[in-house]
Amino acid sequence: MPAVVFVVILTAVAIGAFLYMRSRGGAVAERPVASAIPAQASALTNVDFKVEGATAHVYFDTHIPAEGADDVLVGLMGREAMRVFESKADHLPLEAIKHVAAHGHQGDDTIEVTVVDVKKPVEMDHMDVPSDDKVVMASEVEALADDPLADIHAMEFGRGAGYRGGSDDLPPLSQELEIPAKVVEAVGSAGSIDGMSLEDFITGLLHTVGYEVSKSADGTSTARKGGVATYLDFVEHAPGSHPELDEHSVDAFIVKFMSSGAARGMLFTPKFSPYAIYEKERRNDKVKYMTRERLQAFVDSIAME
Protein backbone atom coordinates (compact mmCIF):
# COMPACT_ATOMS: atom_id res chain seq x y z
CA MET A 1 0.00 0.00 0.00
CA PRO A 2 1.44 3.43 -0.93
CA ALA A 3 2.53 5.51 2.05
CA VAL A 4 0.25 8.40 1.10
CA VAL A 5 -2.83 6.15 1.04
CA PHE A 6 -1.89 4.67 4.42
CA VAL A 7 -1.58 8.14 5.98
CA VAL A 8 -4.98 9.19 4.57
CA ILE A 9 -6.66 6.09 6.01
CA LEU A 10 -5.01 6.57 9.42
CA THR A 11 -6.11 10.20 9.54
CA ALA A 12 -9.70 9.28 8.67
CA VAL A 13 -9.79 6.67 11.44
CA ALA A 14 -8.44 9.18 14.00
CA ILE A 15 -11.02 11.81 13.05
CA GLY A 16 -13.81 9.24 13.25
CA ALA A 17 -12.71 8.16 16.73
CA PHE A 18 -12.57 11.78 17.91
CA LEU A 19 -16.08 12.54 16.66
CA TYR A 20 -17.42 9.37 18.28
CA MET A 21 -15.92 10.23 21.66
CA ARG A 22 -17.18 13.80 21.38
CA SER A 23 -20.72 12.61 20.66
CA ARG A 24 -20.59 10.35 23.72
CA GLY A 25 -19.41 13.29 25.83
CA GLY A 26 -22.52 15.18 24.77
CA ALA A 27 -24.66 12.90 26.92
CA VAL A 28 -23.05 13.94 30.18
CA ALA A 29 -25.67 15.00 32.73
CA GLU A 30 -25.94 18.59 33.81
CA ARG A 31 -24.37 19.47 37.14
CA PRO A 32 -26.62 20.96 39.84
CA VAL A 33 -26.12 24.70 40.03
CA ALA A 34 -25.68 24.75 43.79
CA SER A 35 -22.55 22.60 43.51
CA ALA A 36 -20.86 24.76 40.87
CA ILE A 37 -18.37 26.96 42.72
CA PRO A 38 -15.34 28.94 41.64
CA ALA A 39 -12.14 26.98 41.26
CA GLN A 40 -10.48 29.67 43.36
CA ALA A 41 -13.03 31.58 45.40
CA SER A 42 -11.94 35.02 46.46
CA ALA A 43 -10.56 35.20 49.98
CA LEU A 44 -12.58 37.25 52.41
CA THR A 45 -10.05 39.84 53.45
CA ASN A 46 -12.10 41.90 55.88
CA VAL A 47 -12.13 39.39 58.73
CA ASP A 48 -10.52 39.06 62.14
CA PHE A 49 -8.85 35.79 63.11
CA LYS A 50 -8.07 34.74 66.67
CA VAL A 51 -6.94 31.47 68.23
CA GLU A 52 -7.83 30.55 71.79
CA GLY A 53 -6.77 27.13 73.00
CA ALA A 54 -7.97 24.50 70.54
CA THR A 55 -10.49 26.79 68.82
CA ALA A 56 -9.87 29.25 65.98
CA HIS A 57 -12.36 32.12 65.81
CA VAL A 58 -13.19 33.84 62.51
CA TYR A 59 -15.09 37.13 62.77
CA PHE A 60 -17.03 38.16 59.66
CA ASP A 61 -18.72 41.47 59.06
CA THR A 62 -21.88 39.52 58.27
CA HIS A 63 -25.27 40.69 59.52
CA ILE A 64 -27.23 38.00 61.37
CA PRO A 65 -31.02 38.46 61.53
CA ALA A 66 -32.65 38.90 64.92
CA GLU A 67 -34.20 35.42 64.63
CA GLY A 68 -30.77 33.93 63.98
CA ALA A 69 -29.06 32.44 60.94
CA ASP A 70 -30.95 29.83 58.93
CA ASP A 71 -29.37 26.54 57.86
CA VAL A 72 -28.14 27.92 54.52
CA LEU A 73 -26.34 30.87 56.12
CA VAL A 74 -24.94 28.64 58.88
CA GLY A 75 -23.47 26.26 56.31
CA LEU A 76 -22.09 29.10 54.22
CA MET A 77 -20.37 30.79 57.17
CA GLY A 78 -18.96 27.48 58.36
CA ARG A 79 -17.41 26.82 54.94
CA GLU A 80 -15.98 30.34 54.69
CA ALA A 81 -14.55 30.12 58.21
CA MET A 82 -12.77 26.89 57.29
CA ARG A 83 -11.44 28.53 54.13
CA VAL A 84 -10.00 31.39 56.16
CA PHE A 85 -8.53 28.94 58.68
CA GLU A 86 -6.88 26.86 55.95
CA SER A 87 -5.41 30.00 54.37
CA LYS A 88 -3.56 30.66 57.65
CA ALA A 89 -2.03 27.20 57.73
CA ASP A 90 1.06 28.16 55.73
CA HIS A 91 2.29 30.77 58.19
CA LEU A 92 0.71 30.13 61.62
CA PRO A 93 1.23 27.15 63.98
CA LEU A 94 -2.29 25.70 63.97
CA GLU A 95 -1.63 21.99 64.48
CA ALA A 96 -3.46 21.94 67.83
CA ILE A 97 -6.68 23.49 66.48
CA LYS A 98 -9.66 21.15 66.72
CA HIS A 99 -12.55 23.54 66.09
CA VAL A 100 -13.23 26.63 63.96
CA ALA A 101 -15.95 29.06 65.10
CA ALA A 102 -17.64 31.50 62.71
CA HIS A 103 -18.96 34.77 64.13
CA GLY A 104 -21.23 37.47 62.70
CA HIS A 105 -22.87 40.54 64.19
CA GLN A 106 -26.28 41.75 65.31
CA GLY A 107 -26.09 45.51 65.61
CA ASP A 108 -23.05 46.22 67.77
CA ASP A 109 -22.97 42.71 69.24
CA THR A 110 -20.79 39.88 67.99
CA ILE A 111 -22.43 36.45 68.03
CA GLU A 112 -21.20 32.94 67.35
CA VAL A 113 -23.06 31.37 64.43
CA THR A 114 -21.53 27.90 64.10
CA VAL A 115 -18.57 25.76 65.13
CA VAL A 116 -16.95 23.37 62.65
CA ASP A 117 -14.68 20.50 63.65
CA VAL A 118 -11.24 20.29 62.04
CA LYS A 119 -11.23 16.74 60.74
CA LYS A 120 -7.49 16.36 60.12
CA PRO A 121 -4.35 18.15 61.28
CA VAL A 122 -3.15 21.03 59.15
CA GLU A 123 0.17 20.40 57.39
CA MET A 124 2.56 23.24 58.14
CA ASP A 125 5.16 24.42 55.63
CA HIS A 126 6.77 26.89 58.02
CA MET A 127 7.26 26.05 61.67
CA ASP A 128 9.46 28.97 62.67
CA VAL A 129 6.72 31.54 63.24
CA PRO A 130 6.66 32.72 66.87
CA SER A 131 3.47 31.95 68.72
CA ASP A 132 1.73 32.13 72.07
CA ASP A 133 0.53 28.81 73.45
CA LYS A 134 -2.67 30.44 74.68
CA VAL A 135 -3.67 33.19 72.25
CA VAL A 136 -2.58 34.08 68.71
CA MET A 137 -3.96 37.23 67.05
CA ALA A 138 -3.85 37.83 63.29
CA SER A 139 -6.03 40.74 62.14
CA GLU A 140 -5.76 41.27 58.39
CA VAL A 141 -8.17 44.04 57.44
CA GLU A 142 -7.01 45.49 54.15
CA ALA A 143 -7.59 49.12 53.23
CA LEU A 144 -9.86 48.32 50.30
CA ALA A 145 -13.06 50.00 49.22
CA ASP A 146 -16.23 48.22 50.30
CA ASP A 147 -16.88 46.79 46.85
CA PRO A 148 -18.16 43.18 46.88
CA LEU A 149 -18.41 43.17 43.08
CA ALA A 150 -14.64 43.59 42.93
CA ASP A 151 -14.17 40.39 44.95
CA ILE A 152 -16.62 38.48 42.76
CA HIS A 153 -15.07 39.85 39.59
CA ALA A 154 -11.64 38.66 40.75
CA MET A 155 -12.79 35.06 41.21
CA GLU A 156 -11.32 32.46 38.86
CA PHE A 157 -14.12 30.13 37.85
CA GLY A 158 -13.63 26.60 36.59
CA ARG A 159 -15.11 25.54 33.27
CA GLY A 160 -17.84 23.52 34.97
CA ALA A 161 -20.09 20.90 33.36
CA GLY A 162 -22.34 23.41 31.60
CA TYR A 163 -25.14 22.41 29.28
CA ARG A 164 -24.84 18.93 27.79
CA GLY A 165 -28.08 18.49 25.93
CA GLY A 166 -31.55 17.49 27.05
CA SER A 167 -34.60 19.65 27.58
CA ASP A 168 -34.48 23.34 26.71
CA ASP A 169 -36.61 24.09 29.77
CA LEU A 170 -34.64 25.39 32.74
CA PRO A 171 -35.97 25.14 36.31
CA PRO A 172 -36.43 28.45 38.14
CA LEU A 173 -33.23 29.58 39.84
CA SER A 174 -35.14 29.84 43.11
CA GLN A 175 -35.38 26.02 43.05
CA GLU A 176 -31.68 25.45 42.42
CA LEU A 177 -29.84 28.18 44.30
CA GLU A 178 -29.26 27.92 48.04
CA ILE A 179 -30.37 31.34 49.24
CA PRO A 180 -30.25 32.36 52.93
CA ALA A 181 -33.56 33.49 54.37
CA LYS A 182 -32.16 36.95 55.17
CA VAL A 183 -31.43 37.46 51.45
CA VAL A 184 -34.89 36.30 50.40
CA GLU A 185 -36.53 38.62 52.90
CA ALA A 186 -34.42 41.59 51.83
CA VAL A 187 -34.95 41.10 48.11
CA GLY A 188 -38.25 39.28 47.66
CA SER A 189 -41.82 40.44 48.00
CA ALA A 190 -43.70 39.00 50.97
CA GLY A 191 -40.69 36.84 51.80
CA SER A 192 -40.49 35.09 48.42
CA ILE A 193 -38.43 35.46 45.24
CA ASP A 194 -40.62 33.12 43.18
CA GLY A 195 -41.43 34.68 39.83
CA MET A 196 -38.75 37.37 40.06
CA SER A 197 -36.69 38.05 36.96
CA LEU A 198 -32.96 37.56 37.29
CA GLU A 199 -32.44 41.29 36.74
CA ASP A 200 -34.77 42.22 39.60
CA PHE A 201 -33.12 39.65 41.86
CA ILE A 202 -29.56 40.79 41.12
CA THR A 203 -30.49 44.47 41.38
CA GLY A 204 -32.17 43.81 44.71
CA LEU A 205 -29.09 41.99 45.99
CA LEU A 206 -26.85 44.89 45.02
CA HIS A 207 -29.14 47.36 46.78
CA THR A 208 -28.78 45.38 50.02
CA VAL A 209 -25.02 45.95 50.04
CA GLY A 210 -25.16 49.64 49.23
CA TYR A 211 -24.90 49.87 45.44
CA GLU A 212 -26.82 52.49 43.51
CA VAL A 213 -28.15 50.86 40.35
CA SER A 214 -29.37 53.01 37.47
CA LYS A 215 -31.05 51.54 34.40
CA SER A 216 -30.53 52.75 30.84
CA ALA A 217 -33.02 52.86 28.00
CA ASP A 218 -31.39 49.85 26.30
CA GLY A 219 -32.13 47.61 29.31
CA THR A 220 -28.58 47.61 30.69
CA SER A 221 -27.69 49.04 34.09
CA THR A 222 -24.78 50.56 35.99
CA ALA A 223 -23.98 49.80 39.63
CA ARG A 224 -22.02 52.46 41.49
CA LYS A 225 -20.35 52.38 44.87
CA GLY A 226 -17.30 54.13 46.25
CA GLY A 227 -16.74 55.98 42.99
CA VAL A 228 -16.45 52.74 40.98
CA ALA A 229 -18.92 51.96 38.18
CA THR A 230 -19.78 48.41 37.11
CA TYR A 231 -21.63 47.92 33.82
CA LEU A 232 -24.40 45.31 34.12
CA ASP A 233 -26.10 43.41 31.32
CA PHE A 234 -28.86 40.83 31.68
CA VAL A 235 -29.84 38.01 29.32
CA GLU A 236 -32.96 36.21 30.51
CA HIS A 237 -33.97 32.72 29.38
CA ALA A 238 -37.17 32.69 27.32
CA PRO A 239 -39.18 29.43 27.55
CA GLY A 240 -38.21 27.16 24.68
CA SER A 241 -35.04 29.07 23.83
CA HIS A 242 -31.60 27.44 23.86
CA PRO A 243 -30.35 27.00 27.47
CA GLU A 244 -26.81 28.09 26.60
CA LEU A 245 -25.72 31.72 26.26
CA ASP A 246 -25.46 32.47 22.55
CA GLU A 247 -22.36 33.83 20.84
CA HIS A 248 -24.09 37.03 19.74
CA SER A 249 -24.91 37.95 23.36
CA VAL A 250 -21.34 37.16 24.42
CA ASP A 251 -19.83 39.50 21.81
CA ALA A 252 -22.50 42.21 22.06
CA PHE A 253 -21.89 42.51 25.79
CA ILE A 254 -18.20 43.28 25.27
CA VAL A 255 -18.98 45.95 22.65
CA LYS A 256 -21.51 47.66 24.90
CA PHE A 257 -19.22 47.48 27.92
CA MET A 258 -16.27 48.99 26.07
CA SER A 259 -18.38 52.01 25.15
CA SER A 260 -19.89 52.41 28.63
CA GLY A 261 -16.82 53.91 30.32
CA ALA A 262 -17.33 51.67 33.37
CA ALA A 263 -14.39 50.13 35.24
CA ARG A 264 -15.64 46.59 34.69
CA GLY A 265 -18.54 44.75 33.09
CA MET A 266 -20.63 41.81 34.28
CA LEU A 267 -23.25 39.90 32.30
CA PHE A 268 -25.85 37.96 34.31
CA THR A 269 -27.90 35.13 32.83
CA PRO A 270 -29.76 32.00 33.98
CA LYS A 271 -28.37 30.26 30.89
CA PHE A 272 -25.36 27.94 30.93
CA SER A 273 -21.84 28.96 29.94
CA PRO A 274 -20.64 28.45 26.39
CA TYR A 275 -17.00 27.51 25.97
CA ALA A 276 -16.28 30.87 24.30
CA ILE A 277 -16.61 32.90 27.51
CA TYR A 278 -13.44 31.47 29.04
CA GLU A 279 -11.33 32.78 26.19
CA LYS A 280 -13.15 36.14 26.27
CA GLU A 281 -12.39 36.52 29.99
CA ARG A 282 -8.79 35.46 29.51
CA ARG A 283 -8.27 38.14 26.88
CA ASN A 284 -10.09 40.88 28.79
CA ASP A 285 -9.97 40.67 32.57
CA LYS A 286 -12.43 43.57 32.88
CA VAL A 287 -15.38 41.40 31.81
CA LYS A 288 -17.06 38.57 33.69
CA TYR A 289 -19.95 36.35 32.60
CA MET A 290 -22.12 35.35 35.57
CA THR A 291 -23.83 32.32 34.01
CA ARG A 292 -26.02 29.70 35.66
CA GLU A 293 -23.08 27.73 37.04
CA ARG A 294 -21.63 30.83 38.70
CA LEU A 295 -24.67 32.46 40.29
CA GLN A 296 -24.41 30.44 43.52
CA ALA A 297 -20.99 31.95 44.17
CA PHE A 298 -22.45 35.40 43.59
CA VAL A 299 -25.27 34.81 46.09
CA ASP A 300 -22.84 33.39 48.64
CA SER A 301 -20.56 36.44 48.41
CA ILE A 302 -23.42 38.90 48.89
CA ALA A 303 -24.92 36.83 51.73
CA MET A 304 -21.62 37.10 53.64
CA GLU A 305 -21.90 40.90 53.76
Side-chain angles (χ1 to χ4, degrees):
M1 178 183 297
V4 173
V5 176
F6 177 76
V7 171
V8 171
I9 294 174
L10 183 61
T11 302
V13 171
I15 293 174
F18 169 78
L19 293 176
Y20 172 73
M21 293 303 294
R22 183 176 181 180
S23 66
R24 287 176 60 84
V28 176
E30 297 171 12
R31 181 176 61 174
V33 172
S35 67
I37 60 174
Q40 295 180 3
S42 64
L44 292 167
T45 55
N46 295 330
V47 301
D48 283 338
F49 182 80
K50 181 174 68 173
V51 173
E52 294 181 337
T55 302
H57 299 269
V58 183
Y59 298 86
F60 296 105
D61 190 23
T62 301
H63 170 68
I64 309 301
E67 63 274 17
D70 66 337
D71 292 341
V72 176
L73 185 57
V74 168
L76 173 59
M77 293 187 69
R79 291 192 298 273
E80 292 298 333
M82 284 300 300
R83 183 176 298 163
V84 172
F85 169 71
E86 290 167 357
S87 73
K88 309 291 182 182
D90 63 346
H91 62 280
L92 290 176
L94 302 176
E95 310 93 326
I97 299 302
K98 297 181 179 179
H99 314 285
V100 177
H103 302 260
H105 69 85
Q106 287 179 337
D108 295 331
D109 297 328
T110 298
I111 65 170
E112 182 179 281
V113 175
T114 185
V115 177
V116 182
D117 293 335
V118 178
K119 299 187 182 305
K120 51 175 99 172
V122 178
E123 295 287 338
M124 300 303 301
D125 294 329
H126 306 287
M127 302 299 295
D128 56 347
V129 179
S131 64
D132 186 310
D133 292 336
K134 185 176 182 180
V135 177
V136 177
M137 293 292 295
S139 178
E140 296 183 353
V141 180
E142 297 187 2
L144 298 175
D146 183 16
D147 187 8
L149 285 181
D151 294 332
I152 297 167
H153 194 90
M155 289 182 181
E156 295 183 11
F157 293 87
R159 298 188 185 278
Y163 177 69
R164 292 294 185 270
S167 173
D168 286 347
D169 294 329
L170 295 177
L173 285 171
S174 59
Q175 296 179 10
E176 294 195 0
L177 297 178
E178 296 179 353
I179 307 175
K182 72 165 190 173
V183 173
V184 175
E185 293 175 2
V187 176
S189 174
S192 174
I193 61 170
D194 292 341
M196 289 186 70
S197 67
L198 178 63
E199 179 177 0
D200 289 341
F201 177 63
I202 296 299
T203 300
L205 278 177
L206 295 179
H207 282 311
T208 66
V209 289
Y211 285 92
E212 294 181 3
V213 181
S214 57
K215 189 170 183 177
S216 302
D218 63 355
T220 62
S221 300
T222 302
R224 293 182 173 85
K225 189 177 185 183
V228 179
T230 303
Y231 175 81
L232 309 176
D233 200 0
F234 300 91
V235 177
E236 298 286 354
H237 175 69
S241 65
H242 189 58
E244 189 175 79
L245 187 64
D246 63 279
E247 186 174 349
H248 171 74
S249 297
V250 171
D251 293 334
F253 161 65
I254 294 180
V255 173
K256 290 185 289 186
F257 160 66
M258 295 300 289
S259 63
S260 70
R264 56 179 174 259
M266 304 181 79
L267 182 148
F268 293 85
T269 181
K271 294 175 178 287
F272 286 99
S273 300
Y275 182 82
I277 71 168
Y278 305 107
E279 182 64 18
K280 301 291 185 182
E281 292 175 338
R282 187 185 70 80
R283 292 183 178 182
N284 187 347
D285 61 3
K286 292 184 178 181
V287 300
K288 189 70 74 176
Y289 295 86
M290 301 306 298
T291 52
R292 195 174 190 90
E293 303 96 323
R294 301 176 171 189
L295 290 174
Q296 183 67 61
F298 182 86
V299 172
D300 289 350
S301 294
I302 298 298
M304 289 299 295
E305 293 296 321

